[in-house]
Amino acid sequence: MKYSVFSLLKNSFSGHKAWEPAWRQPDPKPTYDVVIVGGGGHGLATAYYLAKEFGVRNIAVLEKGWLGSGNIGRNTTIIRSNYMLPGNNPFYELSMKLWEGLEQDFNFNAMVSQRGVLNLCHTDPQRDAFARRGNAMRIDGVDAELLDTADVKAMYPFFDYDNPRFPIKGGLLQRRGGTVRHDAVAWGYARGADMHGVDIIQHCEVTGIRRENGKVVGVETTRGFIGCKKLGLAAAGNSSEVAAMAGLKLPIESHVLQAFVSEGLKPFIDGVVTFGAGHFYVSQSDKGGLVFGGDIDGYNSYARRGNLPMVEHVVEAGVAMIPAISRVRVLRSWGGIMDMSMDGSPIIDKTSVDGLYLNAGWCYGGFKATPASGFCFAHLIAKDQPQATATAYRLDRFRRGYMIDEKGQGATPNLH
Amino acid sequence: MLITCPHCGTRPVEEFTFLGDAKPQRPTSNDPSTMEQWFDYVYLRDNPRGVIDEYAHHSGGCRTWLVVTRNTETHEITGTVLASDYAAKRNEAPKKGARK
Amino acid sequence: MTGFRLSKGGLIDRSKPLNFTFDGTAYSGFQGDTLASALIASGTHLMGRSFKYHRPRGAITAGAAEPNALVELRSGGRKEANTRATMIELYEGLEAKSQNRWPSLRFDIGAVNSLASAMFVAGFYYKTFMWPKSFWEKIYEPLIRKAAGLGTASKEADPDRFEKAYAHCDVLVIGSGPTGLMAALTAARGGADVVLADEGSALGGSLLFDNEEIDGKSGIDWARGVIAELASLKNVTLMPRTTVFGWYDDNVFGAVERVSDHLATPNPYEPQQRYWRIIAKKAVLAAGAEERPIVFGGNDTPGVMTASAMRHYSNRYAAAAGQSVAVFTSTDSGYRTARDLAAHGVFVSAVVDTRAEAKVEGKRLPVLRGRQVAQVKGGKAVSAIELTDHTVISCDAVAMSGGWSPIVNLMCHRGARPVWNDSISGFVPPDVGGAFVAAGSAKGSFLLSDCLREGAAAGTLKGKAPAVPKCRDEAAGVAPFWWVKDFRGKAFVDYQNDVTVKDLPLAAREGYNHIELAKRYTTTGMATDQGKLGNVNAIAILAEATGKTIPEIGTTTFRPFYTPVSFGALAGHSVGHHFQPVRKTPLHEWAEEEGAVFVETGLWMRSSWFPKAGEDWLASASREVLATRNGVGLCDVSTLGKIDIQGPDAGAFLDRLYCNTFSTLAVGKARYGLMLREDGIVFDDGTTSRLAEDHFIMTTTTANAARVMSHIEFCHQALWPDLDVTYASVTEQWAQMAIAGPKSRDTLNRIVDGAALTDENTPYLAARSLTILGGMQARLFRISFSGEHAYELAVPADYGSQVARSLMRAGRDFGIVPYGVEALSMMRVEKGHVAGGELNGTTTAADLGLGKMMSTKKDYIGRMMASREGLTDANRQCVVGIRPVDKGDRLRAGSHLLKRGDTPSMANDQGYISSVAWSPMCGMWLGLALFANGRARIGEVVKVFDGLRNITMDAEICDPVHFDKENRRLNV
């Protein structure tokens, strides 16, 4: 049933009894053309585009928990395409363009809200770095503006301009950046994929990858063996574990990133703002909560929870940027497991195992990439060729020395 | 999270800086044929869900590098040794093997 | 009884009346009231509006789980949104405002949303607002955002202070009801260090409002005795007004002490709140249980509250919720409330018990067994209840009791899930080991005698638990009952978010049948109370909708914070200018005297330029450069990292750290060193000198000082512990200053002791110890960042400013000037020296033009990885000089470079300008750039693209050394 104000009205008169399930809850078939491991944003988007754009018909998405229970449901909902390096910039802009038409495409309102992403700078070298970044965006036709202190003050008059430790000297603004209702992205893709015949199988954990003559033939799961011709991994923080089932060792460490939401407040902060002199970024959701985060805790972790030092560290930076939030209360904190790669950039590539495809290493930037990640991974799986904007995300780039290191931190995942 | 530094006692986690898995061992040869070993050492990680020996620097304390044995799923810590002892023991192990 | 204030009883101090305002109306209450109790005693139940439908709401609890009675408290920078009226203690002059209503609480336009509630079901917004596309941004979303949130945040800085503190204890007891008091008492008598924390304004928990009998005394008297004993013990810390909000690894607990929340403003030297990290060897969860509402029509009408809340108001605050009260219950708690109210002289119009049979004493009460309430009549106030059999009973308040939910939250913060217990129809805490145990009603044990016994057991660290006092047990029967199937009107599961009983089955029908999906789709449990009241009801409703059992459905994830915590508390003292410490160099005082303008560089404050009257930064820095290049200048370079490295293997160690060789460096000489990361990328650079055979002093960049130190420690301890070497950061021990310019030696010669400096005794790259100013130990390095004949002089930090002053005097005849980092930067760009803009973590030695420094004769960090094809690719961007074709053009750092004639695109991008400076010597803006295959393209004219600033110009790629290519000035 198509979602619209008309279908909503119609159902209102019948007590909403006639709504169909947004997706089926099928039992796994014995075999599929493509099996995607991971029913999160990237996995569901991959299945959606495989079915819709690349004509693959017989697809399953296997999710060990409930649909969208991974990082798609525990991020800070930010979208942006303010990247600097040639390997990244066109890819993230593709993602932004897909966001801009997504809701009409999959007929689900995910509340794509382009209220701007502003990165504050506090020193001249930081402004120079933003100029480099902003011009990398502009050179490829992506919107970017370099603001001075007065511009920032006009947008956010209640930030600390009077007694700051690190004065706000300006910022880099991408007006097309913003936020999206994260769960709705998973649901929209799931519903869209399901309508194109994709089997979304929840509570089905992959326990092994079966290979014959070096080629993937299927997966062992908690719901039995499921055969496939091609297997795509989109398991985020669990990528290393799943890849190990095929004998692969990845350039990835798993780390916990905490995020937070405040109590609901009347509209207060319009766009997304990142502090440049500490770890803090914030936006306000359509429900009124300040959604914010900072940095990973720093130690390898598979626990979806962190510790107090990072909580304090992030909140300190928040109050440094916005002294007025002192009396606002933090409602809830949570943690997600980030697949931190060795250069801070992702991998969308074939692997050394025939039929095994890898989508991993998103660090804590995976949400904004969801549409393009799905699209490019689907392209790769369907055509065995990388999509034009994702040619740099090769697994062998580390061996060959073609890292895509936006932060310049090198092979130290917890610094990206 | 609390870490018991052999020098300083039990200290809060923010005094420590982490550098990941201590298992990969730096190759000793510069021969081009050892490139795979180097690549493995610098870039590849087992990244286990479970117990890991990891480097932790008591950067906010005595500035000693430690190897902490910690479970990445529960965060439970079961041991802490000086990185120098860990390295010495590891450097010794193959020699012993060689004698046999 | 006057109005709704009971004429006697309660723990309020009737001798201390307090005035306050709510929505501008004046009220009064007593010391000991909460805002909610004072309003209820004044006959006011209407305290707020709900989120979606703007339904009129009153307090439904008397505690921390309150979802409805949220107010804006205080004003200006002290304004707090969403403060629970049930938790805030009344103080003289308290100002509160209701929220989420316009124009007033009684008449709220937003309530029209209720009329469209047939459409506004769970998830309706996911299905609409999509057409036409352009309407989302311009119309739909602004409307939705306007409706967002409840209270309004302040836009002013908070004038009050917050603090952080740490506590270590043997036993942390969370909750001070009968269980907690018994646990704390037992542990304290056993000699343990005990912290007893309770979120309430007074210790005592349920004993503050439940009539109990312990040890032959009233419960409250027994509690007072125990608290007095605990207060007298040195090994006990009592922490009322302290909420333990989270449980973290290794038994670390987060807590907030609301030191001054009960005052209009904090007392002198007191913070508003104090955030605690409590590290406990053992912790006892004695947080009690939350009474559950029942889901039935109009269960949100102001005047409807939980049975225990109604007891709380009457027994503790002497506030009657109504004059004629009906009770709707599936538990014995409802009877207890009815009895207590009756004893206070409040008329109980009915006790409607869903249970056909119950053992509880119901004598003298109008009990209706096996009956259910279909709806509450009335809008902004209760007028009657209507039973499912259409019986109407008039009343002005309703107490409801649907069972108890043990407050398991903290024990589930580290991933363990609570366990369903059929006998109490509730989730009980998981077993998380002996370091954190639950006791009493937090564990699902509701009899007072069990609470005391379990408290004593939990407080016993060794041996047998002591005997506990005798007490009277109240009936605590519970029958599982979640919602009234034949309800009429709207029946709420989650009050604040307006989730109704119909929303959950709808979610299940649409495929959101997992509790986590249902939560996200309906928003149940996502309000400020995080589902403390309604989640179990939601789970039960979803269970039925999906044909599963409650334990099969399970709970959502419990996470910090147990109740919301202010940013201020978590930030503590790290506010404003104190966000991070300030590092000042030993020459700071001198620089201030010289009129320096300082700039933040990491934590350091560095002197940036030294303006004379009327000069801006550019004029000042240009003058400083010219004076230095023509005479002599003095610059504070103390922020450079300085690492002392000693030992027989020091040279060998440096050989492994640097890509070039140091073991061959002669004693008394300095050498520029380049350090790579293990991935082959340049890490840091600096000059390292050999002071003795086994003694080196290394300098690092300011930015990387700490990281290089950690790296050295790692390399030695983790990689090569067999090397006999030791090292220490001496950055703070030495003041270091650059003396640069053709008159630098003449200037220095006026302060050095003994033989004058000459090219023979101090040649270029000499490093020596000497004394100055009549015996002061110093180190002198003949090195140059400016390109001039220059020295760096290091003296013990405490003498820094004094030596600088002496140098200024010594150089007066030569026109000495102080110069700052701006002038430094101009001179280094003129000389093509790389700095932060080029050492950006992605450049190789070869990119910087320093490829030849990489030794092929030894192992060093980064050697192997640096040989990868990607790092030796000829097309890599490498450092070149850049100058505008039109000398009048100003280059800007961050501009990108294109071949002339190419259209702007990432694919055509050739590189970017990494550093720019005005060159006083060349009379134009110069830069360094990272440019593809740059060294082969010297002389090429390129297009500069600065789309951000809308500037385009032509520029020429040139050698990075813009000035004095032959380095003649080093020896002038």
Side-chain angles (χ1 to χ4, degrees), chain A residues 16 22 100 109 112-113 132 140 165 181 266 304 307 312 316 326-327 329-330 332 398 400 402, chain C residues 83 100 118 126 133 136 141 158 160 164 249 275 509-510 530 559 565 568 868 870 873 896 906:
Chain A
H16 298 279
E100 286 169 333
N109 184 0
V112 175
S113 179
R132 175 190 174 195
D140 227 30
R165 174 65 180 86
R181 171 83 181 94
K266 289 291 169 198
R304 285 170 167 182
N307 278 290
E312 295 173 37
E316 283 167 10
S326 175
R327 301 264 171 152
R329 296 189 194 90
V330 190
R332 188 173 171 90
F398 302 100
R400 296 177 60 224
Y402 289 96
Chain C
T83 293
N100 200 37
Y126 299 123
K133 196 180 161 193
W136 170 251
E141 201 196 18
D158 191 331
D160 296 324
K164 293 189 184 185
D249 288 320
Y275 157 78
R509 273 201 301 285
E510 293 198 77
Q530 293 280 289
R559 291 187 179 278
V565 177
R868 286 175 291 167
D873 191 326
H896 282 242
M906 193 51 110

Side-chain angles (χ1 to χ4, degrees), chain C residues 335-660:
Chain C
Y335 291 78
R336 196 167 182 180
T337 298
R339 280 200 312 271
D340 285 0
L341 290 172
H344 284 299
V346 176
F347 177 69
V348 177
S349 58
V351 176
V352 182
D353 191 338
T354 61
R355 301 172 294 182
E357 285 176 33
K359 287 181 189 156
V360 65
E361 174 64 54
K363 257 186 257 168
R364 291 187 298 280
L365 291 173
V367 176
L368 301 170
R369 292 242 157 99
R371 312 276 286 276
Q372 296 177 14
V373 177
Q375 69 169 328
V376 172
K377 295 197 167 237
K380 296 186 182 89
V382 175
S383 61
I385 54 171
E386 184 186 1
L387 306 193
T388 49
D389 60 13
H390 300 285
T391 308
V392 173
I393 301 164
S394 63
C395 58
D396 61 359
V398 179
M400 60 183 164
S401 176
W404 295 90
S405 300
I407 299 176
V408 301
N409 302 52
L410 288 169
M411 290 188 99
C412 302
H413 280 176
R414 287 171 65 194
R417 296 269 170 183
V419 182
W420 179 253
N421 180 321
D422 256 332
S423 69
I424 65 151
S425 300
F427 286 95
V428 297
D431 181 353
V432 295
F436 193 19
V437 299
S441 40
K443 196 184 172 185
S445 305
F446 298 127
L447 292 180
L448 183 57
S449 56
D450 287 343
C451 290
L452 295 174
R453 193 172 39 74
E454 289 179 11
T460 303
L461 296 187
K462 49 177 180 249
K464 246 181 85 182
V468 296
K470 285 205 163 52
C471 65
R472 185 189 71 216
D473 277 330
E474 288 279 340
V478 172
F481 188 80
W482 316 106
W483 82 104
V484 176
K485 305 252 162 78
D486 300 328
F487 74 95
R488 292 188 268 284
K490 280 199 177 59
F492 290 91
V493 179
D494 184 297
Y495 285 87
Q496 193 180 110
N497 278 350
D498 288 326
V499 179
T500 71
V501 68
K502 291 178 177 172
D503 287 327
L504 290 150
L506 171 64
R509 273 201 301 285
E510 293 198 77
Y512 306 87
N513 51 0
H514 190 280
I515 184 65
E516 293 281 4
L517 287 168
K519 164 188 152 177
R520 286 158 171 78
Y521 194 61
T522 65
T523 73
T524 197
M526 293 174 76
T528 60
D529 65 312
Q530 293 280 289
K532 289 187 182 68
L533 291 182
N535 261 10
V536 179
N537 291 335
I539 291 162
I541 294 164
L542 190 65
E544 179 164 314
T546 54
K548 290 183 173 171
T549 64
I550 291 175
E552 278 169 354
I553 293 287
T555 64
T556 54
T557 310
F558 289 87
R559 291 187 179 278
F561 304 88
Y562 169 63
T563 54
V565 177
S566 70
F567 273 76
L570 291 166
H573 43 68
S574 298
V575 294
H577 200 73
H578 302 294
F579 165 54
Q580 297 274 287
V582 173
R583 289 181 88 181
K584 291 179 179 172
T585 76
L587 270 66
H588 193 88
E589 196 179 289
W590 161 79
E592 268 183 334
E593 289 161 16
E594 296 288 344
V597 173
F598 292 93
V599 64
E600 294 80 8
T601 310
L603 296 180
W604 290 106
M605 299 304 290
R606 294 189 75 179
S607 37
S608 190
W609 69 90
F610 293 82
K612 292 191 165 171
E615 283 182 339
D616 62 5
W617 73 271
L618 184 57
S620 175
S622 301
R623 174 184 50 74
E624 293 162 29
V625 169
L626 289 166
T628 300
R629 293 217 190 274
N630 291 325
V632 58
L634 173 58
C635 183
D636 180 4
V637 294
S638 304
T639 60
L640 295 177
K642 298 179 273 295
I643 300 170
D644 197 276
I645 301 172
Q646 300 190 31
D649 292 333
F653 186 44
L654 288 172
D655 282 350
R656 299 188 196 185
L657 292 173
Y658 281 119
C659 73
N660 51 329

Side-chain angles (χ1 to χ4, degrees), chain A residues 4 65 82 94 107 151 177 196 199 227 242 266 342 355 376 384 392 414:
Chain A
S4 71
N82 55 358
L94 169 67
N107 180 228
D151 298 329
H196 285 94
D199 282 356
V242 185
K266 289 291 169 198
M342 287 285 171
C376 293
D384 276 317
N414 61 354

Side-chain angles (χ1 to χ4, degrees), chain C residues 941-962:
Chain C
V941 173
V942 294
K943 186 159 80 180
V944 175
F945 173 89
D946 188 353
L948 285 173
R949 288 167 286 219
N950 219 3
I951 297 169
T952 51
M953 69 179 81
D954 288 340
E956 186 193 332
I957 301 299
C958 57
D959 189 273
V961 186
H962 294 281

Side-chain angles (χ1 to χ4, degrees), chain B residues 2 14 26 57 65 75, chain C residues 249-250 277 678 713 717 859:
Chain B
L2 305 171
E14 66 263 42
R26 191 174 189 272
H57 186 211
W65 279 92
H75 295 171
Chain C
D249 288 320
D250 299 315
R277 248 197 255 176
E678 196 69 277
E713 288 160 338
Q717 297 170 31
D859 180 29

Side-chain angles (χ1 to χ4, degrees), chain C residues 58-59 85 125 150 170 175 183 189 233 235 247 452 477 521 530 534 645 809 931:
Chain C
Y125 33 81
L150 296 166
D170 295 323
R189 284 178 176 170
L233 296 174
N235 54 331
W247 181 42
L452 295 174
Y521 194 61
Q530 293 280 289
I645 301 172
R809 277 194 297 277
F931 188 60

Side-chain angles (χ1 to χ4, degrees), chain A residues 237 252-260 295-313 333-340 364 412-416, chain B residues 1-3 11-22 45 47-57 65-66 68-77, chain C residues 247-250 252 277 413-414 559-560:
Chain A
I252 284 173
E253 288 181 7
S254 294
H255 283 262
V256 60
L257 176 70
Q258 299 190 68
F260 311 84
D295 199 8
I296 53 177
D297 269 36
Y299 43 81
N300 292 43
S301 177
Y302 281 93
R304 285 170 167 182
R305 57 191 180 78
N307 278 290
L308 282 169
M310 189 48 66
V311 178
E312 295 173 37
H313 181 81
S333 69
W334 63 94
I337 302 308
M338 309 294 120
D339 36 338
M340 301 300 294
Y364 44 79
T412 316
N414 61 354
L415 295 179
H416 284 291
Chain B
M1 194 189 290
L2 305 171
I3 294 175
R11 308 295 309 164
V13 67
E14 66 263 42
E15 290 185 4
F16 298 83
T17 312
F18 294 85
L19 197 66
D21 198 344
R45 297 291 178 265
N47 194 22
R49 179 194 294 273
V51 175
I52 181 176
D53 285 347
E54 68 182 344
Y55 285 122
H57 186 211
W65 279 92
L66 310 173
V68 176
T69 304
R70 191 176 56 86
N71 187 310
T72 58
E73 193 166 28
T74 63
H75 295 171
E76 187 193 4
I77 294 170
Chain C
W247 181 42
Y248 297 90
D249 288 320
D250 299 315
V252 176
R277 248 197 255 176
H413 280 176
R414 287 171 65 194
R559 291 187 179 278

Side-chain angles (χ1 to χ4, degrees), chain B residues 28-64:
Chain B
T28 50
S29 170
N30 288 140
D31 192 281
S33 67
T34 60
M35 211 47 196
E36 268 313 294
Q37 291 173 35
W38 281 95
F39 169 67
D40 197 297
Y41 167 69
V42 176
Y43 285 106
L44 300 185
R45 297 291 178 265
D46 288 334
N47 194 22
R49 179 194 294 273
V51 175
I52 181 176
D53 285 347
E54 68 182 344
Y55 285 122
H57 186 211
H58 198 186
S59 46
C62 63
R63 300 201 60 90
T64 306

